[in-house]
Structure formats: structure tokens, C-alpha cells
Amino acid sequence: MAARGHVQDPNDRRLRPIYDYLDNGNNKMAIQQADKLLKKHKDLHCAKVLKAIGLQRTGKQDEAFALAQEVTALEPTDDNSLQALTILYREMHRPELVTKLYEAAVKKVPNSEEYHSHLFMAYARVGEYKKMQQSISAQDENLSKTMFLPLAERMVEKMVKEDKIEAEAEVELYYMILERLEKYQEALDVVRGKLGEKLTSELQSRENKCMAMYKKLSKWPECNALSRRLLLKNSDDWQFYIIYFDSVFQLIDKSWTPPAEGEHSLEGEVHYSTEQAVKFIEERITEEAKSSRPLRGPYLAKLELIRRLRHRGCNDEYKLGDPEELMFQYFKKFGDKPCCFTDLKVFVDLLPSTQCTKFISQLLGIIPLSASEEGKLALPADIKALQQHLCVVQLTRLLGLYHTIDKKQKLSVVRELMLRYQHGLEFGKSCLKTELQFSDYYCLLAVHLLLDMWLEAGEEMAVWQSLTLLEEGLTHSPSNAQFKLLLIRIYCMLGAFEPVVELYSSLDAKHIQHDTIGYLLTRYAEALGQYAAASQSCNFALRFFHSNQKDTSEYIIQAYKYGAFEKIPEFIAFRNRLNASLHFAQVRTERMLLDLLLEANISTSLEESIKSMSLSPEEDDILWKDLHDNRDLTVLFNWDPKDRDISEEHRKLSLEEETIWLQIRSLTLRLVSGLPTLSHTVHPKNSEKTSENGVSSKIDTIRSLLQQLEVAVDSGKQFLEQKIQYPVLGPPPTRMAGFFSNGSCQCQSSLFYLVSDIYELDTNGLEDSTEIQERIGNCFKSLLEQLTDLFNKCKGDLMEVRDGILKTHPNILENLVFFVETMSITLWVSSYCDSVLRPFKSSLQKKKKKKKETSVVMPPVFTSFLDYVTELQTLTSNVIDHIKGLEIILTALKLEELSIDDTLLSQEEKKFTKTVQGKVQSSYQHSIQEIGELLKKRLDTIKKLKI
């Protein structure tokens, strides 16, 4: 609440103390002061609104809303009330009410520029673009000028004709309008004309816009001439090399020739043959030799040209040189720069596979390495030599030379890389904690080799060694995000979530990163039984998504205010992309399922939990058709050859898998949310009315969702039949495979079919329902068998020592988590059964009393339900005992007695191995405790199911 300038009228003076209290966070005093003021001045609307703000901030939302609506209904036009209501509605996250407020104000005071302006901004906040346009046309001419809001071509053209365009933002706007109308030639004329001279705020803004329009219009001669001219100015600008090559080959394919007379094109001379392109690039390299600083562009352009010519099958005629020799020369010139590897990475496919080893030896031959004594490792003497050597090691991995060697050789390479890493730390002694060590990549490359051994050859020792090296690396380089990301990934693969929480928070993920890398955390949080941490990690992500909806509206408004029109579509696209984020939909769904798992029928009833989440089985808020995969799947560095790297195909398959799994989870959530809607209100005799009171339509919803779930499950099974293997550091697979293989899926489906049968019994009554009762009885038996099978999949040790090596079984943990979830759904469905059968039983007992019969035959459904509940209780107790057993075994596992006879690691490093194994053990214990606690609470709810 900003301070409010000089006092304009007595009301401002009266309201001042309330503003001060609110500003200082003293909301109770603000409410009291407002009440005092309202006793004297009943019609002081603003005081009411300020009281409402106080109430909102003390958690009394309903009272605050009622007061605000009271004032809004009076359609106030005083500035104080309007501003206070705007603040209140914003805090209530109801920006749409602000539009109504200012719509009314504008009607009453049509000449107010300020109110028109506020209305426009309110529309921008809620994305009402049509109305924004109307609000502008309703404003007077002066406002349009001051806010640069001529949003139609005619309006701008009129300004052009009247010579009224003065600001660069207005030219940008005109260009945007023409571009969106696909009037590319007109847009080009604007940029090349007098108005284009105003485009000065960005470097080469005019040239870039011209180039974009030439490409849209397929004016390749102009594209070529302009890019050539710009490369003569700056021969290191890579984007123009690409356009230059594109245009040359377009012109060659079209057999273009220059006109006999006059200029080649609007932009001057055009190159239209391969000979000209070759000569042009050679000239750029000659020029580079005279340059005061070395430029990479010309050398890489030559390699790019060779690649394109090879692709067209016509390289050898042009004598551009041997790519291997050119890359060698490039390395000699730029090998000590960290960018050398990424530059050459693009062109390694020009090397014949037979030449790779020779090429690497050639590079190693020119690096100045020296050994302290005979037989010792030759090491670099300075940082330049270290960078050169690192570049060669990265290229060795990229060319696949490390993938073809055997286990012994791999271990020897790992040892060498770690020695080089340790030696490289000497150069970084003066580095700050926030800086990376020069030799960090050696450590990462060693870990990648160990991961190959673990995941491809099943070497369990290798995973502990890789964690050891990363934890050690982190002590020398505490800010290395790659170390942290890789640790997160490996710990999660081992089923240990506890160390991951701290690692992720130390990454200090900002803003959009919660969407791009958040999946590394949320994929495993709940799956590994750390429910408290799972809630926290979901909250991290959801907080970002919800604040984004508010923030982007503000960005859009600022862009309008300051005339940065070209940014507005970007902000809108950004907002839409985040609203349709796959990760957002997943986190939302998982968070609600998690809340139900932890609270429904424990601290609150299932009905209350669902109500508090505003869940409804009929509503699906996921934008399935627009789902956007914003995950950054290449966030982990890797130097794998193309055939082992993550491909576009992997991305598509991963998105398909994630979407199917999200459908299954979303439908499960909606089916659960439908259970309380089937409350016991139906009697057999008034079955006519059932469709009127809406209950029968509720069961129709459940049955329809069940059909959709079947379809999604079938899609999932078909997908898994493909047996897709993602690259080691590619996208993590979903939990779907475990969900199907351990029987959870079958069990949960059976539970929802049971709901349908129980509902049928409820509708038809007990008389003549032998068949349904029998079906329900069989279903109870089958469910118990399925749950027992699922429990059997949870048996076994989480950690065991085999041949002196620690082995983990994280799948047992995942199965236990699925068991708890399936058991929770079982109990929610059982509660529904209980609510249906209980009234039947009491009415039977009443009949028994009336007829004074000694025995009334109890229908079989009661006996089968009671047996079922008893068995459920026994099964749950058994699982709780099993979990206690797992806890005892984990606690008894003495890791310090583990003989780490590991020739790879030094004594110093073996300390880290102990730490790492301790972290995994502690995480398992924590998970087991949380799972056990939750099951005990569920056992208490089973005990209440006695009809």
C-alpha cells in the first residue's frame, strides 16, 4: 500500500491511520480503526474496503469478500475505493473482479483517462485481448498517443501519413502488425524506408529484420548479398555464415544468374556458385590471419562448407582440404579454449571411423605434457596444456573409443583421469568457492565410465565408486551443478531420496528451472516413500507455476506501458506454455493424490479432503491437446557418441510415456473423487427419481471414467511392449512399468469395478440380488488374493552384502509405496461398501424386532464383507511386521565392517564411500519409517469398518 501523496480531502486524512496500520502489518488495529471510522461515517466506502483487506490478511476470507462485494455493488468511482478494491482482489487472486469494477467506473465517468487506462490493464491481466481493443477504441485520442496503443494497421498507417510516428516502439509495432498479417513486402519496405532509421536500440536490428523478411519472401539473392556484406564487416558472426551457405545453395539449385545490367540485387553483389563460396571463405581465413585477435568463425565455416558439399556429394572437386587436417590445425590454434570441444563436436562425423584413433594420437602428440620421473603419468605444466588435454579426452569419449575397451582398461582409464583431476586441483587453489575447478571434467568423465560399467555390465561396485568420486569432487568444487545433478540422478536410481533434497535445494533453482529440471526431483519423491519431502518438492514447483500466472500478467502490462510491443506475444506464449506444462499437470495430480493418501479418512474424511481441493470427477483441468514438454533432457553433460546419445525419437517416446502415465494417474484421482458423490441416498422404490436427483448420473460418470482408465491402461501396456531403453543420462522412465508388473494396476481397477457392483446392490436392494451378492463376494476374495500377491512383491532385503559388495533393491521400496497407495484406495472403497451395507443391516434388524423372530437369515454379502475386512486387517498387520523386520535388518547392517578392498580408490576416497553408503542406508530407513507410520494409520481405519 503505497504512501498517498499530499492530503487532497478530509477523507484522505481520516483514512491515513488505517493505511499506516496495514502497511506495518498490524491488521487487527486496521480493522478496529476502520470500525471506529464507519460508526461516524457510514458512507465512507474506502474504510469498508480497507477493513476487508485487514480481514483478508487475518484469514477471514469470507467476511472480507462479503464486504468487498457490498462496496462493488455500489459501483464506486472514488479513487481511494477503486485502488483499495484492486489491491484486495489481487490478494484474493480474483483479477477478473477488477475488470468489472473499472467497467462500471468507466460507464459512470466516460472521460476519465485514468479509469480507461486501469480498465485496459485489468483486461491485460486476465488475458481479455478482445476487450482490450474495445477499451482502447473507447478512449480519447490523447490516451492512445501517450500509451502507444494503436493496435490496428489502419491506425498506424494514418499516423505514418500524418508523419506522427516518432518513437522506435511505434515502428516496431507497425512492423509486428504487418508481419502478423503476412504482409512481408510491406514490412520490408517499412524497415528499408525512412521509418527503419529509427530502429537503433538493438545492434543490427534493421539488418536482422530485413534478413527475416527476405527469407519469408524467398528473396535469396538479397539474403546472400546482405549476409556477405555483414560477414565482410564481422567475419566471426556465425548466424550469417549459415544464411550465406543456405542462400548460395538455394541459388545454385534454382540456376540463378545475375541480370545483364545493373545491380545483382537490392543489397549489392551476389555469390551464386560453389567456386565463389569457396573463394569467399578462403579470403575470410586469409583476412583472419591479419586480425589482432584469433577468430574461430572462418575456420569453422570451412568445415561447415565441406560438410554441406559432402552432403550434396560434390566435395572433392573443390580442394578445400582434409577435414582431419583442418580440425588438427583448429585444435592447434584454439585447443586451450573450453569452447574447442563444442566447436569440433559438430564436425566429428566428417572423420572416417578408421582414422579416429590416429586423430586422437595426433592431437595428444602436440600437447606439452611432462612426467616427473620414468614410468610416471605425464602431466600438464599449466592451465593451457590442461585445457588442451581435457579437450582430447572429451573427443576420445565422443568418438566412442572408451566404449570399445574392456573392464580392466576402463578401470585403468578411470584411475588415470582421477590422477589428472587431483593434479589439476593444484591450478585452482586460488579459486573461490563459487568457481569451478579447471579439472572438474576429468572427474565427470571418470564417473561416466563407471556408470557405463554399472548400468551395462551390472558392476555394483562401480556405482559406489562413482558416488564417491562425485562427493569428493563436490568438496573441491561446491558450486558444480553437474556434480550435484549427477548425484541426484544416481541416488534416485538407487532409491535413496533423502540426500537428494539437500542437493536440489543447494542448486538454488530459479524461476523457469522449476519446470525444466524439477522433474529430476518430483519423479522420485513420492515413489521412494519420502512423503514429507514429496509434499515439499511438489510445493516448490506449484508455487512457481501459480506465481507465474500472476507475474506474466504484470510483465505484459509493463510491456504495454513502455511500448515494448514485440515482447508482448513472447510473454503471452510463455504464459500459455507454462499453463500447458506437462510437469505442471503431473505435479498438480500427484500432489492431490499424495494429500489424499496422507489425510483422507485419517485426519479428515475423504469427502472433506476432496471438497477442500475443489475436485470433481466430471471436471478434467488438464489441457491434453496442448500439453507442452518443457523438461530439459540434456541438462546433464554428456560426451556420448551419437548412437548412444539422446535422440529426437527418445524425446517423443518419453513424452508419450509420461502422457499415458499422467492419464492413468489423473483418472485414478477423478475416480477416487467420485466415491463421496455416491452417498447413500437412493431407495429401490424411487428409482425413477434417481436420474433427477443426479446420483445415477454420478455412477454413469464413474463408469465412463473406468472405461477411459481401461483404454489408458491398454495404451500403457502396448507402450511397454516396445521395451524402450533410454540412454543412461536420458529421460528417467515413469513408474508405469512397476505399476503393471507388481499387480497394483489390476488391483485398483478391480476396486473401481467393485464400486459399480455395490452401487447396483444399493439401487436394487437385497431382495432378488443373489447374483450381484455372489459377484461382490467373489470380488472381495479376488481382491484379497491380488493384495497378497502385491505384498509378496514387497518381500526381500532392501540392502544386502554379497561378496563384500553392497547391493541395493530399490524396486522393493517402490512396490511398498504402491502397496500403501493401493491399500488406501481399498479402504476408501471399503468405506463406501460399509456406508451402503450398514443401513441394510439396521433395517433387517428392525424387521427382526417387529416380527419377533429369533433368527433372520443374513444375506451372504454381509458375511463376505466381514470376512474381507478381517482378512484386510490381518494382511495389513503382516505388512507392518514385515516393514519392522526391514527396519531391524537395515539398522543391523554394519557398513563399517564392509571390506572395501577396492584397488581403484585411495584411503582418503574410501572415507567418502562410507559416507555415501551411510546416506543410502539412512534414506532407506527414513522411507521405511514413513511407509510404516502411514500403514499403521490405515490399519486404524480398517478397524472402524465393522458393519
Side-chain angles (χ1 to χ4, degrees), residues 761-943:
L761 181 71
D762 192 11
T763 319
N764 299 332
L766 288 175
E767 292 158 23
D768 308 324
S769 62
T770 323
E771 192 194 325
I772 301 175
Q773 288 191 49
E774 197 178 320
R775 205 161 65 220
I776 291 170
N778 290 336
C779 193
F780 286 148
K781 280 180 196 158
S782 154
L783 274 167
L784 284 166
E785 284 168 16
Q786 289 171 13
L787 283 165
T788 309
D789 283 346
L790 177 50
F791 169 40
N792 289 333
K793 301 262 170 59
C794 303
K795 289 178 179 172
D797 291 334
L798 279 169
M799 290 178 104
E800 58 172 339
V801 179
R802 203 185 287 168
D803 305 328
I805 294 173
L806 188 63
K807 193 159 176 49
T808 57
H809 300 285
N811 59 311
I812 290 176
L813 202 54
E814 294 220 19
N815 287 346
L816 267 170
V817 171
F818 273 128
F819 179 86
V820 175
E821 186 182 291
T822 308
M823 183 54 87
S824 299
I825 296 175
T826 306
L827 296 180
W828 297 327
V829 171
S830 303
S831 291
Y832 169 63
C833 300
D834 186 62
S835 72
V836 169
L837 296 178
R838 208 179 278 246
F840 279 139
K841 190 168 184 183
S842 53
S843 68
L844 276 172
Q845 282 166 339
K846 279 176 195 166
K847 277 183 193 172
K848 181 178 161 183
K849 279 180 190 168
K850 272 184 190 172
K851 294 184 180 178
K852 296 186 177 159
E853 289 176 22
T854 46
S855 67
V856 171
V857 181
M858 275 290 170
V861 71
F862 292 119
T863 344
S864 47
F865 182 66
L866 284 170
D867 291 348
Y868 163 71
V869 170
T870 313
E871 289 288 331
L872 271 183
Q873 201 170 323
T874 312
L875 177 64
T876 310
S877 300
N878 290 343
V879 180
I880 290 171
D881 291 341
H882 169 62
I883 287 173
K884 278 180 193 159
L886 284 176
E887 263 191 85
I888 292 164
I889 294 167
L890 273 174
T891 313
L893 196 66
K894 297 276 186 280
L895 294 180
E896 56 273 15
E897 289 170 12
L898 214 63
S899 60
I900 308 180
D901 51 347
D902 182 350
T903 50
L904 184 75
L905 303 173
S906 65
Q907 280 308 116
E908 195 57 38
E909 284 166 339
K910 285 177 187 175
K911 288 179 192 166
F912 285 105
T913 309
K914 289 271 197 310
T915 311
V916 166
Q917 293 178 338
K919 281 183 179 180
V920 175
Q921 182 186 26
S922 157
S923 179
Y924 280 177
Q925 285 171 317
H926 193 149
S927 295
I928 287 294
Q929 280 163 4
E930 286 206 37
I931 293 168
E933 288 302 315
L934 186 52
L935 259 187
K936 280 176 199 163
K937 290 175 185 170
R938 289 284 166 221
L939 182 60
D940 294 340
T941 58
I942 301 178
K943 290 172 182 171

Side-chain angles (χ1 to χ4, degrees), residues 273 354 523 529 587 862:
S273 71
T354 50
R523 153 66 182 87
V587 174
F862 292 119

Side-chain angles (χ1 to χ4, degrees), residues 654-709:
S654 173
L655 175 59
E656 186 186 339
E657 182 181 351
E658 296 285 352
T659 309
I660 296 169
W661 179 236
L662 177 58
Q663 282 173 337
I664 292 171
R665 300 297 279 169
S666 170
L667 287 163
T668 306
L669 177 66
R670 288 169 68 195
L671 279 161
V672 170
S673 74
L675 289 175
T677 63
L678 304 172
S679 52
H680 183 76
T681 52
V682 188
H683 297 287
K685 284 168 191 164
N686 63 356
S687 53
E688 296 296 315
K689 290 181 186 172
T690 57
S691 52
E692 289 172 38
N693 66 23
V695 179
S696 77
S697 67
K698 297 286 182 196
I699 192 68
D700 291 341
T701 305
I702 297 281
R703 285 170 183 157
S704 155
L705 290 173
L706 202 42
Q707 282 176 335
Q708 292 173 47
L709 181 63

